[in-house]
Amino acid sequence: MTARVFETPFALLEAVGAKLGPTEWLTVTQEMIDLFARATGDDQWIHVDVDRARAGPFGATIAHGYLTMSLVNRFLPDMVEVRGIAMGVNIGGDGLRFLAPVRSGSRLRGVGEIVAATEIRGAIQSTVRVTLELNGSDKPACVIDTISRYFPAAV
């Protein structure tokens, strides 16, 4: 699926409630998990010890929760594109929840909904609720409300 395009940030104001996605599926590999462990220093065995994790509570290694959350950034551009901006800034996130473990080899995809859009300090601030669907699971892996601020390009 291609991203929903907004020609200006002001178009977001009229798009509250709009559904975004789904994106293509992404396989979470052990290599991704290992690289995240190395970058963050979180090398707990449930993430990096394949043999021990096989006998553990999840039956395999699992992705770090924050790795799963960080993949939201990979999926957002596939769901929404805002044009006519000088820049966009990530303001943060609200309501982060990890609802299902992401085993190595699992597939994730993003779906979203624009839940808010307001004009603030010369920009448009939008909140997109992103749900990372976990292939084969009735629960999503992660849900977060991402907050972005888009500064219109000078005309």
Side-chain angles (χ1 to χ4, degrees):
M1 169 157 200
T2 58
R4 178 152 179 195
V5 175
F6 296 92
E7 292 300 330
T8 73
F10 298 98
L12 292 165
L13 296 170
E14 303 300 320
V16 173
K19 305 294 185 198
L20 306 169
T23 67
E24 297 294 322
W25 291 102
L26 171 73
T27 301
V28 177
T29 65
Q30 187 61 48
E31 179 183 18
M32 292 166 71
I33 295 168
D34 291 344
L35 287 169
F36 191 86
R38 197 169 321 138
T40 62
D42 182 354
D43 60 356
Q44 186 179 175
W45 65 269
I46 62 172
H47 305 304
V48 299
D49 189 332
V50 174
D51 294 329
R52 185 174 177 192
R54 203 174 281 126
F58 304 108
T61 56
I62 60 168
H64 306 73
Y66 287 119
L67 167 57
T68 301
M69 181 200 67
S70 71
L71 292 173
V72 167
N73 193 57
R74 183 160 181 173
F75 291 120
L76 269 171
D78 294 336
M79 290 190 285
V80 62
E81 177 184 344
V82 181
R83 296 179 179 166
I85 61 172
M87 69 175 175
V89 179
N90 174 10
I91 300 300
D94 288 332
L96 172 63
R97 297 292 179 267
F98 301 116
L99 302 170
V102 178
R103 291 170 188 82
S104 177
S106 295
R107 295 182 337 138
L108 298 174
R109 72 177 177 185
V111 295
E113 177 184 357
I114 300 173
V115 296
T118 57
E119 193 163 354
I120 184 168
R121 297 186 190 130
I124 301 300
Q125 183 166 296
S126 70
T127 302
V128 175
R129 179 163 298 137
V130 178
T131 300
L132 294 187
E133 296 181 337
L134 180 60
N135 189 247
S137 174
D138 58 345
K139 290 186 197 176
C142 176
V143 178
I144 186 172
D145 287 353
T146 63
I147 305 166
S148 302
R149 199 170 289 172
Y150 299 98
F151 294 84
V155 184

